[in-house]
Amino acid sequence: MPNQPKPLTPEIVSAILHDPDSPLYPASIGVFCDRCDSTVKRDFMVSDDMPREERFAVARQHLHSNEGWSCTDAGDFCPACRPE
């Protein structure tokens, strides 16, 4: 996966939300499993200048690092459907 953003701490998210000049805002992004079609939808901090693929990369990195998903060029797979 391309250069992945680091997770934001709750303190950083709070500071962003209270900063009227911050370009970041929460956006609901969903990723579905390419094998079973289960979908995970969460709010992630993104900005208007992030292209669509970068926004999805934020969600995929979270799912890979925290929820056991396999998110590669081969596809997005939930923990139950991960390829060996």
Side-chain angles (χ1 to χ4, degrees):
M1 293 182 62
N3 187 10
Q4 298 301 321
K6 294 183 180 178
L8 300 175
T9 65
E11 294 80 15
I12 292 173
V13 172
S14 179
I16 290 168
L17 293 175
H18 288 93
D19 178 1
D21 297 323
S22 174
L24 297 176
Y25 59 90
S28 183
I29 300 172
V31 177
F32 70 93
C33 176
D34 289 327
R35 190 163 289 145
C36 72
D37 291 333
S38 65
T39 303
V40 174
K41 195 173 194 181
R42 305 267 192 280
D43 286 340
F44 297 96
M45 299 300 287
V46 297
S47 68
D48 286 335
D49 65 350
M50 292 173 78
R52 182 175 186 228
E53 270 310 305
E54 278 185 33
R55 293 177 190 208
F56 277 110
V58 171
R60 287 181 173 114
Q61 176 62 34
H62 170 81
L63 292 174
H64 173 75
S65 298
N66 300 295
E67 299 188 32
W69 280 60
S70 172
C71 299
T72 67
D73 291 338
D76 301 318
F77 302 99
C78 71
C81 298
R82 288 178 73 117
E84 293 297 321

